[in-house]
Amino acid sequence: MYNGKAMRLTALEAGLVELTLDLQDSSVNKLDSLTLGELAEVVRLLERHGHEIEGLLIASAKPAFVVGADITEFTAAFARSESEVVEWIRQGQLLFGALEALPFPTVAAVNGLALGGGFELALAADFRVLAADARIGLPEVTLGLCPGWGGTVRLSRLIGAEAALDWMLAGKPQAAARALELGAVDRVV
């Protein structure tokens, strides 16, 4: 269905499709401009074929789901004008919103780490299943950044504002068992 440099979309059986995150020439998946561009292409493809699809699984071929945004791209991004930075963030929010609005169930199967934008990607899915040793969180605050792709709102809806604020302000990755206990994820396997 789709085969890019950062991900591939494969038809499985009975209307199910799998989006496999697998950034080439990298030991980890990160949300760089290439990956976000390909994700936008995949989401548009899924929207066009939504009537044929019964469900989407989002998984990683690497030891970690997604370690976050590619901070090496931030210097160039933040050198843009204020309106360009706002538009860049808005495009990310629209992309994750479009993923969230797909007309069929979506499941993020999280292994290893899902941090920052990686966790925000998982939060945009309808359901999150974590490996028992997975860790999730929004550590951007430790870099002086605020999560920008809707993760603050989505996490607050799942675990409540107080717990979500604790996660966002401390920036500490959370263990799978704690995430399940609070309701940030649906299953731990």
Side-chain angles (χ1 to χ4, degrees), residues 33-55:
S33 55
L34 169 71
T35 303
L36 290 170
E38 288 189 7
L39 182 60
E41 290 178 43
V42 166
V43 169
R44 285 191 296 272
L45 178 67
L46 292 168
E47 289 171 332
R48 283 195 308 274
H49 294 281
H51 61 285
E52 304 164 17
I53 298 173
E54 296 293 324

Side-chain angles (χ1 to χ4, degrees), residues 15-178:
L16 301 177
V17 293
E18 181 175 3
L19 175 59
T20 305
L21 306 167
D22 192 10
L23 184 58
Q24 293 177 14
D25 302 322
S26 177
S27 61
V28 295
N29 291 315
K30 54 190 169 187
L31 296 178
D32 58 8
S33 55
L34 169 71
T35 303
L36 290 170
E38 288 189 7
L39 182 60
E41 290 178 43
V42 166
V43 169
R44 285 191 296 272
L45 178 67
L46 292 168
E47 289 171 332
R48 283 195 308 274
H49 294 281
H51 61 285
E52 304 164 17
I53 298 173
E54 296 293 324
L56 170 68
L57 174 66
I58 305 168
S60 171
K62 303 218 184 275
F65 184 72
V66 179
V67 296
D70 185 352
I71 61 172
T72 64
E73 293 184 346
F74 285 6
T75 302
F78 294 157
R80 300 176 186 159
S81 70
E82 180 180 340
S83 63
E84 290 172 318
V85 171
V86 168
E87 181 59 22
W88 172 62
I89 294 168
R90 190 177 80 77
Q91 288 303 315
Q93 291 172 347
L94 290 172
L95 173 57
F96 283 55
L99 175 63
E100 181 178 46
L102 288 172
F104 44 80
T106 56
V107 177
V110 176
N111 60 308
L113 298 172
L115 300 175
F119 183 39
E120 290 184 284
L121 174 63
L123 286 169
D126 295 316
F127 303 99
R128 283 148 303 286
V129 177
L130 268 62
D133 61 349
R135 297 179 63 78
I136 59 174
L138 300 166
E140 298 92 321
V141 68
T142 63
L143 300 174
L145 302 170
C146 179
W149 293 328
T152 57
V153 172
R154 290 183 182 98
L155 183 60
S156 296
R157 289 178 184 158
L158 291 172
I159 67 173
E162 185 176 338
L165 277 171
D166 285 344
W167 283 33
M168 289 178 268
L169 296 176
K172 180 182 173 191
Q174 302 292 317
R178 180 68 174 147

